[in-house]
Amino acid sequence: MQTKGNVVLHVADVQKHFGGLHALADIDLQVDEGKTHAIIGPNGAGKSTLLNVIIGRLAPSSGAVVFDGTVLTGKKPHEINQLGVARVFQTPEIFADLSVLQNVMTPAFARRDGAFRINMFRSVDNERGIREEAEHTLEDVGLMDRRAVHAGALSRGDKRRLELAMCLIQKPRLLLLDEPTAGMSRHDTNTTIELLKKIKSRGMTKVIIEHDMHVVFSLADKISVLAGGRIIAEGLPDQVRGDPRVQEAYLGGVH
Ligand code: ADP
Ligand code: MG
């Protein structure tokens, strides 16, 4: 499958069946380097399934996912993660009994050690460097004042911000976000939009799944509309906003 020079992620002719259900049918998606690519669509459209296929949690029934020239299909989630692909989950996956700061330090250790384990022989300098990096990341996401709190005690919005910090400290080349503002107040949503804009200016490629139109139109360079497991429209935000098929399938839909 040929890809253009600036395409960093190519989902090539991917299908995913669950028994008789075609959750994804002939998905062909190209994400340009450094851009924010939004995937929108009604509930059940296949958005989370698509993300799970990209990060290796689900194997496609056919087709392939290519990241920066490497075929991801067949690789395990942690192998894909080590290639520079990170994901913020729809339900935050954090260590509830560790402090906020410890949570953010954990992926940094994992990155250095190449596995999710604490290296007993790590140098003090290394630990200090990781702590500084973690604090810097917590400042970025606005959680510095909560660094000593047990992560389990955070509000839902703050847990999502913590998970974002745990992704950012990995310095991924591609960040996948599944409804990053779900369950947040309008104020927290706006804070998250500003944060994601800041990340965007650092050149990280992002794929963002989102129901909230305000978020999508604030952030997206390009939008793909998924309905019934197919991409029914794709283009710049203004093109997609005015597309009658999109209004029918999505804007008049569940949310
Ligand atoms: P979205 O994220 O757009 O709401 P999903 O990707 O979660 O949609 O789901 C797409 C379709 O696939 C839905 O009909 C859903 O019920 C179905 N589905 C998702 N995951 C599974 C699974 N593990 N087994 C069976 N069906 C599934
Ligand atoms: Mg979903």
Side-chain angles (χ1 to χ4, degrees):
M1 186 64 60
Q2 202 175 350
T3 55
K4 277 184 280 158
N6 61 341
V7 172
V8 70
L9 178 73
H10 188 185
V11 178
D13 302 321
V14 159
Q15 303 205 26
K16 180 64 188 175
H17 305 159
F18 294 113
L21 177 79
H22 289 215
L24 297 174
D26 295 323
I27 297 289
D28 203 90
L29 181 77
Q30 303 202 9
V31 177
D32 292 333
E33 181 127 47
K35 302 286 188 201
T36 299
H37 195 128
I39 297 170
I40 65 171
N43 272 339
K47 304 181 298 296
S48 293
T49 302
L50 177 57
L51 245 68
N52 281 321
V53 166
I54 294 170
I55 63 155
R57 280 202 166 183
L58 285 174
S61 306
S62 63
V65 177
V66 183
F67 172 65
D68 195 24
T70 302
V71 177
L72 300 186
T73 313
K75 291 192 188 300
K76 300 206 159 44
H78 75 270
E79 294 171 328
I80 292 171
N81 183 243
Q82 277 167 11
L83 289 168
V85 180
R87 176 189 175 181
V88 179
F89 291 90
Q90 207 161 1
T91 310
E93 295 190 356
I94 55 173
F95 303 101
D97 295 334
L98 295 183
S99 75
V100 166
L101 181 64
Q102 284 169 331
N103 266 271
V104 182
M105 290 173 75
T106 306
F109 282 126
R111 189 187 62 214
R112 271 157 219 204
D113 296 343
F116 245 101
R117 63 191 157 84
I118 302 295
N119 180 357
M120 302 304 284
F121 305 106
R122 66 181 180 254
S123 72
V124 174
D125 277 355
N126 189 25
E127 176 161 357
R128 190 179 300 136
I130 289 174
R131 175 181 289 264
E132 278 169 12
E133 210 175 321
E135 287 177 346
H136 185 72
T137 310
L138 283 175
E139 259 161 30
D140 270 356
V141 302
L143 280 180
M144 192 53 179
D145 60 339
R146 314 228 67 200
R147 65 187 178 281
V149 172
H150 274 181
L154 293 178
S155 70
R156 193 167 166 195
D158 282 350
K159 278 181 184 151
R160 300 199 65 114
R161 264 202 283 274
L162 171 57
E163 212 199 6
L164 186 57
M166 290 167 75
C167 281
L168 292 178
I169 201 165
Q170 299 173 44
K171 298 192 168 54
R173 289 188 55 207
L174 174 65
L175 180 62
L176 302 154
L177 303 120
D178 199 350
E179 301 196 34
T181 65
M184 282 189 186
S185 66
R186 177 51 71 191
H187 175 265
D188 281 354
T189 298
N190 287 336
T191 310
T192 304
I193 291 173
E194 289 313 310
L195 172 63
L196 293 175
K197 279 185 181 162
K198 200 158 73 176
I199 299 168
K200 183 172 168 174
S201 65
R202 292 180 196 157
M204 191 184 291
T205 309
K206 295 202 294 294
V207 173
I208 175 167
I209 285 182
E210 187 57 69
H211 270 309
D212 187 328
M213 286 297 129
H214 174 59
V215 177
V216 170
F217 289 115
S218 302
L219 287 171
D221 297 304
K222 193 173 174 186
I223 298 175
S224 298
V225 185
L226 202 59
R230 290 179 190 279
I231 293 174
I232 59 157
E234 196 167 69
L236 302 173
D238 282 345
Q239 294 169 329
V240 167
R241 203 198 308 252
D243 190 321
R245 287 169 303 179
V246 177
Q247 287 169 3
E248 188 186 334
Y250 183 75
L251 300 175
V254 184
H255 282 255

